[in-house]
Amino acid sequence: MATTVLVPSDRLTVAFFDVGYHQMWHNAPVANVLENFQRLETKAARLMGQANGAAVWDNALKALQSIQKTQCGPKDKDGNIVLRYMVTFTDGEDNCSSNSLAAVVEAFRAPGMSNFNYLAMCVGAVDVFDMIYDAFELGLRGTG
């Protein structure tokens, strides 16, 4: 799938999380990631086998911090880097975050945050998908 969606000029930051945040690449050219795709699969499988919980909201905030460190890419009229996507794959079970979904939504809306589309893929967790969707939808309605 990745090879049919990504174009050579894309750049990726790839991280996995359980209770910790494990970043494999930061703002790397797509070619670097695709050339090392086996390494990506191996890391994902190893982390899934060791999972003792997930800090979804804490690690979403760490991903946002990583996005804010991105220095290259097209910019909007306010000078913010424009990224195409932030994608989160989750089973939706957050059992150890000190932050909440509301804190993540607030961070997304913070002045100076890069512009991007957020895609949450919640495997087997329709109720969590609905919760995330509703939180962002309410946040957008609040901006007028």
Side-chain angles (χ1 to χ4, degrees):
M1 176 182 105
T3 57
T4 60
V5 174
L6 301 171
V7 296
S9 60
D10 284 338
R11 300 184 72 81
L12 299 174
T13 295
V14 178
F16 296 99
F17 60 86
D18 44 20
V19 294
Y21 183 79
H22 313 277
Q23 187 167 290
M24 293 184 65
W25 288 280
H26 176 73
N27 199 25
V30 166
N32 289 10
V33 177
L34 294 178
E35 287 171 10
N36 295 288
F37 206 76
Q38 181 63 43
R39 181 175 152 217
L40 182 71
E41 290 177 316
T42 301
K43 178 81 169 184
R46 188 170 54 79
L47 285 172
M48 285 177 62
Q50 298 173 350
N52 292 321
V56 177
W57 313 131
D58 288 351
N59 288 302
L61 290 171
K62 288 179 182 172
L64 287 173
Q65 290 169 354
S66 178
I67 285 171
Q68 287 179 305
K69 293 177 186 172
T70 301
Q71 298 297 314
C72 64
K75 295 185 179 186
D76 67 12
K77 65 180 179 65
D78 296 322
N80 297 316
I81 299 290
V82 178
L83 305 172
R84 293 194 332 167
Y85 291 99
M86 175 180 165
V87 181
T88 303
F89 297 92
T90 180
D91 64 3
E93 302 239 2
D94 185 318
N95 52 14
C96 53
S97 280
S98 59
N99 288 289
S100 65
L101 174 57
V104 174
V105 172
E106 185 177 322
F108 269 78
R109 296 179 60 210
M113 177 55 69
S114 297
N115 295 310
F116 57 90
N117 295 298
Y118 176 59
L119 177 61
M121 301 181 89
C122 304
V123 178
V126 174
D127 56 333
V128 174
F129 170 82
D130 290 340
M131 178 181 68
I132 292 170
Y133 181 86
D134 290 346
F136 279 96
E137 190 66 21
L138 289 172
L140 291 174
R141 281 190 230 137
T143 62

